[in-house]
Amino acid sequence: MSGKPKLHYFNGRGRMEPIRWLLAAAGVEFEESFLEKKDDLTKLQKDGSLLFQQVPMVEIDGMKMVQTRAIANYIAMKYNLYGKDLKERALIDMYVEGIFDLNELFMYYEIQPADKKEQHFANMMDKATNRYFPAFEKVLKDHGQDFLVGNQLSRADVQLLDTILMAEEFKPDILAKFPLLQVNEWTNSNIPKIKKFLQPGSQKKPPTPGEDIPKVMAIFY
Amino acid sequence: MAAKPKLHYTRGRGKMESIRWLLAAAGVEFEEQFIETKEDLEKLRNDGVLLFQQVPMVEIDGMRMVQTRAILSYIAAKYNLYGKDLKERAWIDMYVEGTTDLMGMIIYLPFQPADTKEKNLALIIERATTRYFPVYEKALKDHGQDYLVGNKLSWADIHLLEAILMTEECKPDILSAFPLLQAFKGRISNIPTIKKFLQPGSQRKPPTDEKFIAVVRKIFNI
């Protein structure tokens, strides 16, 4: 009996969001069990369900998988979003790691102390527009294809779209200088499974409002 | 003609050390080009050879690979150190992410403010002995095999050995409560390619000292 994958995390984006995106892009239905207070996390830890006492944790194919990258790798591989050979996988991995680094900056913005927020914002916008987006714009320009790797949708495109949309929440015209990324964003947003995930009522999570951050932190600290 | 992989980084361990370990364990000879000054890094950036303007960068099989995990995954897969199927890969990935988190704490220790060092070191020791090492000890106990995954040497074993040795540099008796890890350490250290890497004169880098930290801060502007 194979049940649907079950995601254990708080009801927000955090480190689970890339996994939600991948499952959605692969057309895989999933369930979610939300941590709302510290006791919920403690219970999972005491149950022995968390290999390193941490979430994300995803119950999938008889395993209780932890570690964001391990989970994302497994899903991408299983659902053919990881390229067709070792070299394509290498490119996908490089791109995805860059995207993860940019995501970390976005993720940590809300929890910056008030006096550090402005500098953090400037840094993340600088990195997005001068380091990461130019790299991906160039990749698309050099091969002239619609997708980042191997002329087909891969996790690199899915995670890039997630990040672009997050960046646009901070600065709506952030792709102004990146025409090919704009096309890539539009193309990928209109892939049926992704389009469905982008609609209201899906399991895609909104940003956590500033006033809710302390409650989330209290689960983990 | 298969050229040797060429590693671009500083002379220190940092994020490149795990890559050196994996290549060495796989028996792959490699060259190194050391970044000694800020200008060396700027040159690489201006040459356009760093996808995200960062090192590590490894020239391998016609690619200029960046991002530590991407490089490690490629080497592991190429040299059959990544398990035999998707499920074994999943376990290797989980274990490696754990040792990455632990080693990450140790790598950043010298860069933390001086007044937090003692607290951070205590946290490393606590995490090593209550969060990470118990997991690997249990894995070995549960299946009774010599290696973490699939009864065969994998990236997970090599990475764990590296993490054990690095943590022992923080506290020499850190494995005192983990008999199976002690035996594991002995066993994996004696694999010929790894034994060679552990000997003086190899490309393994020493722990970072105060003087070198200052050099690194200058190169990366941190």
Side-chain angles (χ1 to χ4, degrees):
Chain A
M1 179 209 81
S2 74
K4 295 179 191 172
K6 190 172 183 182
L7 280 50
H8 296 260
Y9 204 60
F10 74 92
N11 192 359
R13 288 176 177 175
R15 295 183 185 284
M16 189 63 99
E17 198 71 351
I19 293 164
R20 296 184 184 107
W21 269 87
L22 270 181
L23 286 169
V28 177
E29 286 183 25
F30 57 92
E31 293 172 358
E32 300 196 76
S33 174
F34 296 120
L35 307 181
E36 284 168 359
K37 46 196 194 313
K38 204 181 180 78
D39 284 351
D40 296 335
L41 178 61
T42 311
K43 184 175 187 299
L44 280 176
Q45 288 167 334
K46 290 211 166 106
D47 282 347
S49 297
L50 306 178
L51 189 64
F52 300 115
Q53 313 310 322
Q54 297 164 314
V55 286
M57 187 270 275
V58 174
E59 297 179 65
I60 184 168
D61 296 340
M63 297 180 286
K64 286 184 168 126
M65 287 200 74
V66 298
Q67 293 288 354
T68 311
R69 282 173 175 87
I71 300 164
N73 287 356
Y74 181 79
I75 294 166
M77 199 67 127
K78 183 175 175 184
Y79 295 102
N80 294 312
L81 290 168
Y82 219 157
K84 70 177 194 299
D85 58 29
L86 196 47
K87 286 243 170 138
E88 286 193 357
R89 228 168 75 186
L91 289 175
I92 290 168
D93 277 341
M94 282 194 273
Y95 301 158
V96 162
E97 285 297 304
I99 293 165
F100 266 128
D101 283 348
L102 182 56
N103 272 7
E104 286 279 305
L105 292 175
F106 291 156
M107 203 169 49
Y108 281 111
Y109 172 68
E110 280 301 335
I111 61 174
Q112 293 301 309
D115 61 342
K116 293 242 161 90
K117 256 197 157 115
E118 202 177 312
Q119 191 196 31
H120 188 96
F121 188 85
N123 181 40
M124 71 191 204
M125 290 296 115
D126 173 56
K127 292 273 157 29
T129 52
N130 293 319
R131 174 174 289 187
Y132 294 106
F133 291 160
F136 298 118
E137 182 81 3
K138 182 178 190 298
V139 167
L140 292 171
K141 184 168 187 208
D142 285 351
H143 60 44
Q145 292 164 4
D146 287 351
F147 303 104
L148 285 170
V149 179
N151 212 10
Q152 65 173 353
L153 183 76
S154 76
R155 69 184 283 203
D157 302 289
V158 176
Q159 320 248 213
L160 179 61
L161 178 58
D162 177 12
T163 299
I164 285 173
L165 294 177
M166 272 198 271
E168 286 177 339
E169 283 168 0
F170 289 111
K171 191 175 188 292
D173 66 346
I174 200 159
L175 287 193
K177 292 189 187 150
F178 307 107
L180 297 177
L181 285 181
Q182 291 177 38
V183 171
N184 181 271
E185 179 191 353
W186 188 88
T187 308
N188 291 327
S189 299
N190 280 292
I191 292 170
K193 288 169 189 158
I194 295 177
K195 189 169 184 172
K196 191 172 165 203
F197 189 61
L198 291 174
Q199 258 137 36
S202 83
Q203 284 158 300
K204 180 173 177 286
K205 301 292 175 277
T208 301
E211 59 266 23
D212 290 349
I213 300 279
K215 201 172 133 207
V216 172
M217 300 291 274
I219 300 172
F220 297 105
Y221 295 104
Chain B
M1 179 209 78
K4 293 180 193 172
K6 190 173 186 184
L7 280 49
H8 296 260
Y9 203 65
T10 70
R11 285 185 188 275
R13 288 180 176 176
K15 288 183 185 285
M16 188 62 98
E17 193 70 352
S18 295
I19 294 167
R20 297 180 183 112
W21 267 88
L22 194 54
L23 285 168
V28 179
E29 286 184 24
F30 57 92
E31 292 172 0
E32 301 195 75
Q33 183 163 306
F34 296 116
I35 297 166
E36 316 267 20
T37 63
K38 205 174 165 154
E39 287 70 38
D40 291 340
L41 180 59
E42 281 312 307
K43 182 173 191 307
L44 283 173
R45 285 174 170 161
N46 292 333
D47 284 348
V49 297
L50 304 177
L51 183 63
F52 301 119
Q53 315 310 323
Q54 297 164 314
V55 285
M57 189 270 275
V58 174
E59 297 179 61
I60 183 168
D61 296 340
M63 297 180 286
R64 286 184 176 120
M65 286 200 74
V66 297
Q67 292 288 348
T68 312
R69 279 178 180 87
I71 298 164
L72 287 167
S73 295
Y74 180 78
I75 296 166
K78 184 176 176 185
Y79 295 102
N80 293 312
L81 291 165
Y82 219 158
K84 71 176 193 301
D85 58 28
L86 193 47
K87 285 244 169 136
E88 285 192 357
R89 229 188 98 150
W91 280 103
I92 291 168
D93 277 343
M94 283 191 270
Y95 290 145
V96 162
E97 288 296 299
T99 39
T100 299
D101 284 348
L102 176 57
M103 284 199 274
M105 293 173 77
I106 301 173
I107 291 168
Y108 281 114
L109 192 59
F111 296 96
Q112 309 284 38
D115 60 347
T116 63
K117 275 211 173 99
E118 206 177 303
K119 193 178 79 165
N120 288 325
L121 184 59
L123 183 62
I124 287 167
I125 291 164
E126 191 209 316
R127 286 275 153 84
T129 52
T130 62
R131 179 175 287 190
Y132 295 107
F133 290 159
V135 168
Y136 303 102
E137 180 83 2
K138 183 178 190 293
L140 292 170
K141 185 170 186 206
D142 285 351
H143 59 45
Q145 293 166 1
D146 285 352
Y147 305 102
L148 284 171
V149 179
N151 209 10
K152 181 174 182 263
L153 182 72
S154 76
W155 173 20
D157 302 296
I158 297 158
H159 213 241
L160 176 58
L161 177 60
E162 185 190 359
I164 286 171
L165 295 181
M166 203 185 271
T167 320
E168 282 182 336
E169 284 168 357
C170 295
K171 190 174 190 289
D173 65 345
I174 198 123
L175 286 191
S176 56
F178 306 105
L180 295 178
L181 287 181
Q182 291 175 38
F184 174 87
K185 175 191 160 189
R187 234 174 12 248
I188 307 300
S189 302
N190 274 302
I191 291 170
T193 49
I194 295 175
K195 189 169 184 172
K196 192 170 163 205
F197 187 63
L198 290 171
Q199 260 140 30
S202 83
Q203 283 159 300
R204 184 172 179 230
K205 301 296 175 278
T208 304
D209 63 19
E210 287 292 327
K211 211 173 89 172
F212 193 69
I213 297 286
V215 171
V216 170
R217 282 189 186 279
K218 265 212 198 117
I219 293 170
F220 294 108
N221 209 27
I222 50 171

